[in-house]
Coordinates of all heavy atoms in Angstrom, one line a residue:
V1 N 25.4 8.9 0.9 CA 25.6 7.5 1.4 C 26.1 6.6 0.3 O 25.6 6.6 -0.8 CB 24.2 7.0 2.0 CG1 24.4 5.5 2.4 CG2 23.7 7.9 3.1
L2 N 27.1 5.9 0.6 CA 27.7 4.9 -0.3 C 27.7 3.5 0.2 O 27.8 3.3 1.4 CB 29.2 5.3 -0.6 CG 29.3 6.6 -1.5 CD1 29.7 7.7 -0.6 CD2 30.3 6.3 -2.6
K3 N 27.5 2.6 -0.7 CA 27.5 1.2 -0.3 C 28.7 0.5 -1.0 O 28.7 0.6 -2.3 CB 26.2 0.5 -0.7 CG 26.0 -0.8 -0.1 CD 24.5 -1.3 -0.3 CE 24.2 -2.4 0.6 NZ 22.8 -2.8 0.5
F4 N 29.6 -0.1 -0.3 CA 30.8 -0.6 -0.8 C 30.7 -2.2 -0.7 O 30.5 -2.7 0.4 CB 32.0 -0.1 0.0 CG 33.3 -0.7 -0.4 CD1 34.0 -0.2 -1.5 CD2 33.8 -1.8 0.2 CE1 35.3 -0.8 -1.8 CE2 35.0 -2.4 -0.1 CZ 35.7 -1.9 -1.1
Y5 N 30.8 -2.8 -1.9 CA 30.8 -4.3 -1.9 C 32.2 -4.8 -2.1 O 32.8 -4.4 -3.1 CB 29.9 -4.8 -3.0 CG 28.4 -4.5 -2.9 CD1 27.9 -3.3 -3.5 CD2 27.6 -5.4 -2.3 CE1 26.6 -3.1 -3.4 CE2 26.2 -5.1 -2.2 CZ 25.7 -4.0 -2.8 OH 24.4 -3.7 -2.7
S6 N 32.7 -5.6 -1.2 CA 34.0 -6.1 -1.5 C 33.8 -7.5 -2.1 O 33.3 -8.4 -1.4 CB 34.8 -6.2 -0.1 OG 36.0 -6.9 -0.3
L7 N 34.3 -7.7 -3.3 CA 34.2 -9.0 -4.0 C 35.4 -9.8 -3.8 O 35.5 -10.8 -4.5 CB 33.8 -8.7 -5.4 CG 32.6 -7.9 -5.7 CD1 32.4 -7.7 -7.2 CD2 31.4 -8.6 -5.1
Q8 N 36.3 -9.4 -3.0 CA 37.6 -10.1 -2.9 C 37.5 -11.5 -2.3 O 38.4 -12.4 -2.5 CB 38.6 -9.3 -2.1 CG 38.3 -9.2 -0.6 CD 39.3 -8.4 0.1 OE1 40.4 -8.2 -0.3 NE2 38.9 -7.9 1.3
H9 N 36.4 -11.8 -1.6 CA 36.2 -13.2 -1.0 C 35.4 -14.1 -1.9 O 35.1 -15.2 -1.5 CB 35.5 -13.0 0.3 CG 36.4 -12.3 1.3 ND1 37.4 -12.8 2.0 CD2 36.3 -11.0 1.7 CE1 38.0 -11.9 2.7 NE2 37.3 -10.8 2.6
I10 N 35.1 -13.6 -3.1 CA 34.4 -14.5 -4.1 C 35.4 -15.2 -4.9 O 36.5 -14.7 -5.2 CB 33.5 -13.6 -5.0 CG1 32.5 -12.9 -4.1 CG2 32.9 -14.3 -6.1 CD1 31.7 -11.8 -4.9
P11 N 35.1 -16.5 -5.2 CA 36.0 -17.2 -6.1 C 36.4 -16.4 -7.4 O 35.5 -15.8 -8.0 CB 35.3 -18.5 -6.4 CG 34.3 -18.7 -5.3 CD 33.9 -17.3 -4.9
P12 N 37.6 -16.4 -7.7 CA 38.1 -15.5 -8.9 C 37.3 -15.8 -10.2 O 37.0 -14.8 -10.9 CB 39.5 -15.9 -9.1 CG 40.0 -16.5 -7.8 CD 38.8 -17.1 -7.1
D13 N 36.8 -17.0 -10.4 CA 36.0 -17.2 -11.6 C 34.6 -16.7 -11.6 O 33.9 -16.7 -12.6 CB 36.0 -18.8 -11.9 CG 35.3 -19.5 -10.8 OD1 35.4 -19.2 -9.6 OD2 34.6 -20.5 -11.1
R14 N 34.2 -16.1 -10.4 CA 32.8 -15.6 -10.3 C 32.8 -14.0 -10.2 O 31.8 -13.4 -10.2 CB 32.1 -16.2 -9.1 CG 31.8 -17.7 -9.4 CD 30.8 -18.3 -8.4 NE 29.7 -17.4 -8.1 CZ 29.3 -17.2 -6.9 NH1 29.8 -17.8 -5.8 NH2 28.2 -16.4 -6.6
V15 N 34.0 -13.4 -10.0 CA 34.1 -12.0 -9.8 C 33.5 -11.2 -10.9 O 32.7 -10.3 -10.7 CB 35.5 -11.5 -9.5 CG1 35.6 -10.0 -9.5 CG2 36.0 -12.1 -8.2
E16 N 33.8 -11.6 -12.2 CA 33.3 -10.9 -13.3 C 31.7 -11.0 -13.4 O 31.0 -10.0 -13.6 CB 33.9 -11.4 -14.6 CG 33.5 -10.6 -15.8 CD 34.3 -11.1 -17.0 OE1 35.4 -11.5 -16.9 OE2 33.6 -11.1 -18.1
Q17 N 31.2 -12.1 -13.1 CA 29.8 -12.4 -13.0 C 29.1 -11.5 -12.0 O 28.0 -10.9 -12.2 CB 29.5 -13.8 -12.8 CG 28.0 -14.2 -12.7 CD 27.8 -15.6 -12.3 OE1 28.7 -16.4 -12.2 NE2 26.6 -16.0 -12.0
E18 N 29.7 -11.5 -10.8 CA 29.1 -10.7 -9.7 C 29.2 -9.2 -10.0 O 28.2 -8.5 -9.7 CB 29.9 -11.0 -8.3 CG 29.6 -12.4 -7.8 CD 28.1 -12.5 -7.3 OE1 27.5 -11.5 -6.8 OE2 27.6 -13.6 -7.3
T19 N 30.3 -8.8 -10.6 CA 30.4 -7.3 -10.9 C 29.3 -7.0 -11.9 O 28.6 -5.9 -11.8 CB 31.8 -7.0 -11.5 OG1 32.8 -7.4 -10.6 CG2 31.9 -5.6 -11.9
A20 N 29.1 -7.8 -13.0 CA 28.0 -7.6 -13.9 C 26.7 -7.6 -13.3 O 25.8 -6.7 -13.6 CB 28.1 -8.6 -15.0
S21 N 26.4 -8.5 -12.3 CA 25.2 -8.5 -11.6 C 24.9 -7.2 -10.8 O 23.8 -6.7 -10.8 CB 25.2 -9.7 -10.7 OG 24.0 -9.8 -10.0
L22 N 25.9 -6.7 -10.1 CA 25.8 -5.5 -9.4 C 25.5 -4.3 -10.3 O 24.6 -3.5 -10.0 CB 27.0 -5.2 -8.6 CG 27.3 -6.1 -7.3 CD1 28.7 -5.9 -6.8 CD2 26.2 -5.7 -6.3
L23 N 26.1 -4.3 -11.5 CA 25.9 -3.2 -12.4 C 24.5 -3.3 -13.0 O 23.8 -2.3 -13.2 CB 26.9 -3.2 -13.5 CG 28.3 -2.7 -13.0 CD1 29.3 -2.9 -14.1 CD2 28.3 -1.3 -12.5
D24 N 24.0 -4.5 -13.2 CA 22.6 -4.7 -13.7 C 21.6 -4.2 -12.7 O 20.6 -3.5 -13.0 CB 22.3 -6.2 -14.0 CG 23.0 -6.6 -15.3 OD1 23.4 -5.7 -16.1 OD2 23.1 -7.8 -15.5
E25 N 21.9 -4.5 -11.4 CA 21.0 -4.1 -10.3 C 21.0 -2.5 -10.3 O 19.9 -1.9 -10.2 CB 21.5 -4.6 -9.0 CG 20.6 -4.3 -7.8 CD 21.2 -4.9 -6.5 OE1 21.6 -6.0 -6.6 OE2 21.1 -4.2 -5.5
F26 N 22.2 -1.9 -10.4 CA 22.3 -0.5 -10.4 C 21.4 0.1 -11.6 O 20.6 1.1 -11.4 CB 23.7 -0.1 -10.6 CG 24.0 1.4 -10.8 CD1 23.8 2.3 -9.8 CD2 24.3 1.8 -12.1 CE1 24.0 3.7 -10.1 CE2 24.5 3.2 -12.4 CZ 24.4 4.1 -11.4
R27 N 21.6 -0.4 -12.8 CA 20.8 0.1 -13.9 C 19.3 -0.1 -13.7 O 18.5 0.8 -14.1 CB 21.3 -0.6 -15.2 CG 22.7 -0.2 -15.6 CD 23.0 -0.9 -17.0 NE 24.5 -0.8 -17.2 CZ 25.3 -1.8 -17.0 NH1 24.9 -3.0 -16.6 NH2 26.6 -1.6 -17.2
T28 N 18.9 -1.2 -13.2 CA 17.5 -1.4 -12.9 C 16.9 -0.4 -11.9 O 15.9 0.2 -12.2 CB 17.2 -2.8 -12.4 OG1 17.7 -3.8 -13.4 CG2 15.8 -3.1 -12.1
I29 N 17.6 -0.1 -10.9 CA 17.2 0.8 -9.9 C 17.1 2.2 -10.5 O 16.2 3.0 -10.2 CB 18.0 0.8 -8.6 CG1 17.8 -0.6 -7.9 CG2 17.7 1.9 -7.7 CD1 18.8 -0.8 -6.7
K30 N 18.1 2.6 -11.3 CA 18.1 3.9 -12.0 C 16.9 4.1 -12.9 O 16.4 5.2 -13.1 CB 19.4 4.1 -12.7 CG 20.5 4.3 -11.8 CD 21.6 5.2 -12.3 CE 21.3 6.4 -13.0 NZ 21.7 7.6 -12.5
L31 N 16.3 3.0 -13.4 CA 15.1 3.1 -14.2 C 13.9 3.7 -13.5 O 13.0 4.3 -14.1 CB 14.7 1.8 -14.8 CG 15.6 1.1 -15.8 CD1 15.2 -0.3 -16.2 CD2 15.7 2.0 -17.1
F32 N 13.9 3.6 -12.2 CA 12.8 4.2 -11.4 C 12.9 5.7 -11.2 O 12.0 6.3 -10.8 CB 12.7 3.5 -10.0 CG 12.3 2.1 -10.1 CD1 13.2 1.1 -10.0 CD2 11.0 1.7 -10.2 CE1 12.9 -0.3 -10.1 CE2 10.6 0.4 -10.3 CZ 11.5 -0.6 -10.2
G33 N 14.0 6.3 -11.6 CA 14.2 7.7 -11.6 C 14.0 8.3 -10.2 O 14.7 7.9 -9.3
S34 N 13.2 9.3 -10.1 CA 13.0 10.0 -8.8 C 11.8 9.6 -8.0 O 11.2 10.4 -7.3 CB 13.0 11.5 -9.1 OG 11.9 11.8 -9.9
D35 N 11.4 8.3 -8.1 CA 10.3 7.8 -7.3 C 10.6 8.0 -5.9 O 11.6 7.6 -5.4 CB 10.1 6.3 -7.6 CG 8.9 5.7 -7.0 OD1 8.7 5.9 -5.7 OD2 8.1 5.1 -7.6
P36 N 9.7 8.7 -5.1 CA 10.0 9.0 -3.7 C 10.1 7.8 -2.8 O 10.6 7.8 -1.7 CB 8.8 9.9 -3.3 CG 7.7 9.6 -4.3 CD 8.4 9.2 -5.5
Q37 N 9.6 6.6 -3.3 CA 9.6 5.4 -2.5 C 10.9 4.6 -2.6 O 11.1 3.6 -1.9 CB 8.4 4.5 -2.8 CG 7.1 5.1 -2.6 CD 6.8 5.5 -1.2 OE1 7.1 4.8 -0.3 NE2 6.3 6.7 -1.0
I38 N 11.8 5.0 -3.5 CA 13.0 4.3 -3.8 C 14.2 5.2 -3.6 O 14.3 6.4 -4.0 CB 13.0 3.8 -5.3 CG1 11.8 2.8 -5.4 CG2 14.3 3.1 -5.6 CD1 11.6 2.3 -6.8
V39 N 15.3 4.7 -2.9 CA 16.5 5.4 -2.7 C 17.1 5.7 -4.1 O 17.2 4.8 -4.9 CB 17.5 4.6 -1.9 CG1 18.8 5.3 -1.8 CG2 16.9 4.4 -0.5
R40 N 17.4 7.0 -4.3 CA 18.0 7.4 -5.6 C 19.4 7.0 -5.7 O 20.2 7.2 -4.8 CB 17.9 8.9 -5.8 CG 18.3 9.4 -7.1 CD 17.3 10.3 -7.7 NE 17.7 10.6 -9.0 CZ 17.7 11.8 -9.5 NH1 17.4 12.8 -8.8 NH2 18.1 12.0 -10.8
M41 N 19.8 6.4 -6.8 CA 21.2 6.0 -7.1 C 21.8 7.0 -8.1 O 21.2 7.2 -9.2 CB 21.3 4.6 -7.5 CG 20.8 3.6 -6.5 SD 21.0 1.9 -6.9 CE 22.7 1.7 -6.9
Y42 N 23.0 7.5 -7.9 CA 23.6 8.4 -8.8 C 24.7 7.8 -9.6 O 24.9 8.2 -10.7 CB 24.1 9.6 -8.0 CG 23.0 10.4 -7.4 CD1 22.6 10.2 -6.1 CD2 22.4 11.4 -8.2 CE1 21.6 11.0 -5.6 CE2 21.3 12.2 -7.6 CZ 20.9 11.9 -6.3 OH 19.9 12.7 -5.8

C-alpha cells in the first residue's frame, strides 16, 4: 500500500518545508519498528 501526497497545490515557498515535514513524519514512524499496532513503513 502506498500513500501519494501531491504537493503541487501548495504555495511554492512552502513545498520544501512540507517535504521536510513529511520526511520527519516518516522517520518518526520508522522509529516504532515492528510494533503490531502501527502500520509499518518501508
Side-chain angles (χ1 to χ4, degrees):
V1 174
L2 287 103
K3 192 170 197 177
F4 176 87
Y5 295 89
S6 174
L7 301 180
Q8 67 180 344
H9 296 282
I10 296 173
D13 61 326
R14 291 194 42 226
V15 170
E16 190 174 321
Q17 175 187 354
E18 288 292 330
T19 301
S21 178
L22 285 169
L23 289 173
D24 284 344
E25 181 179 321
F26 169 75
R27 288 184 195 103
T28 300
I29 292 171
K30 287 212 41 120
L31 291 175
F32 291 99
S34 60
D35 186 309
Q37 301 298 317
I38 298 173
V39 173
R40 185 130 187 231
M41 296 185 66
Y42 293 95

